[in-house]
Amino acid sequence: QHYFIQSNLSMLTRSLMVPSARGLSTKVAVVLSGCGVYDGAEVHESSALLTHLSRHGAAVSVFAPDKEQMHVVDHTSGTPMSENRNVLKESARIARGKIAALSELNSDDFSALVLPGGFGAAKNLSNFATEGSGMSVDSEVSAAVRSFHSQGKPIGLCCIAPVIAARVIPGVEVTVGSNESSDKWPYAGTATAMEEMGGKHVVTDVSQTHVDHTNKVVTTAAFMCETALHEIHDGIGAMVKDLLGLVQ
């Protein structure tokens, strides 16, 4: 009975993988940072991203660093927990098991790169959460961003993830929405930090994107804004459309 359950679970995983590459031309690499807004990838942003990529007919492969998270957060209270979790294994929850270690990502095999937000981008893909504008980026993440950028392939980032582009790509234009803190924009101070790193912040609304045509970087605010879920979904949809529009 145990074998039957495991066998059927394996078949279900393969049949519902996110997503299938058969018959699809534009190959997009998505890098996740765990599972859950406070210590990993933001689940709604990741789901919206995968949905919009699927709608546009992209073939998606999902990657994540194979390393321990900075910490684990109890999402009912927002407080750290005394346990360890692996970024790759947690990200596999969102990818429905169809995932590979970031070390296996080869930019030659893809047309574009996308990084959704969530605090994992600031804690696991970088240390922005603790170091601010003095941040560094995980070496595998940095290598991936540099490789896609050097090949002139578009890169999409949303929510807090644009800080990674600000650190890795000199002079890049990005948005996290507003640069003035308010109840609607509680994380607007991120804009100042990115400019301290040499980036240029462009003010946008949550449903809008900013496209840096020189660097082929597309960003949108997503959950940097306190707003309705469908507006986050729509902004990410706009990012995906603009991103794929840059693919040659």
Side-chain angles (χ1 to χ4, degrees):
Q1 183 179 10
H2 176 72
Y3 173 78
F4 176 79
I5 293 173
Q6 289 297 107
S7 177
N8 278 273
L9 178 59
S10 179
M11 291 173 64
L12 178 64
T13 299
R14 288 196 297 270
S15 66
L16 297 178
M17 291 187 302
V18 180
S20 170
R22 287 181 293 180
L24 303 177
S25 57
T26 303
K27 296 182 178 180
V28 179
V30 172
V31 177
L32 299 180
S33 59
C35 181
V37 57
Y38 297 136
D39 58 14
E42 215 294 322
V43 176
H44 293 290
E45 290 181 8
S46 301
S47 179
L49 172 62
L50 294 172
T51 298
H52 285 292
L53 286 170
S54 175
R55 180 169 287 133
H56 284 278
V60 178
S61 294
V62 184
F63 299 87
D66 186 3
K67 68 176 190 178
E68 294 298 302
Q69 296 182 181
M70 173 185 148
H71 62 181
V72 178
V73 175
D74 180 344
H75 278 59
T76 66
S77 65
T79 57
M81 302 169 63
S82 57
E83 62 178 88
N84 297 318
R85 295 188 186 181
N86 179 276
V87 178
L88 177 62
K89 292 179 180 178
E90 289 297 294
S91 299
R93 296 175 181 272
I94 296 174
R96 299 177 65 87
K98 177 64 174 179
I99 196 166
L102 183 54
S103 59
E104 299 180 23
L105 173 57
N106 185 340
S107 60
D108 293 340
D109 298 331
F110 296 92
S111 301
L113 174 69
V114 193
L115 287 75
F119 280 103
K123 293 179 177 180
N124 303 326
L125 304 187
S126 74
N127 60 5
F128 178 77
T130 58
E131 302 302 322
S133 60
M135 65 174 277
S136 60
V137 178
D138 174 90
S139 59
E140 292 180 351
V141 176
S142 178
V145 172
R146 292 182 192 279
S147 184
F148 276 83
H149 182 253
S150 68
Q151 293 181 34
K153 295 180 177 180
I155 301 169
L157 311 97
C158 64
C159 193
I160 194 69
V163 299
I164 294 171
R167 171 56 71 200
V168 175
I169 303 173
V172 69
E173 297 178 0
V174 290
T175 189
V176 290
S178 179
N179 57 5
E180 296 184 3
S181 294
S182 63
D183 289 343
K184 183 178 180 179
W185 297 99
Y187 310 108
T190 303
T192 300
M194 293 192 299
E195 294 196 332
E196 290 173 354
M197 290 188 279
K200 179 182 177 181
H201 181 260
V202 179
V203 174
T204 61
D205 198 3
V206 67
S207 61
Q208 298 175 316
T209 69
H210 179 71
V211 181
D212 180 340
H213 290 279
T214 300
N215 289 297
K216 292 189 176 181
V217 172
V218 184
T219 50
T220 192
F223 273 112
M224 298 298 276
C225 181
E226 291 290 337
T227 189
L229 179 59
H230 72 274
E231 293 189 326
I232 306 298
H233 190 276
D234 292 347
I236 292 174
M239 179 188 72
V240 168
K241 182 178 179 181
D242 289 343
L243 178 84
L244 296 178
L246 295 175
V247 173
Q248 295 181 342

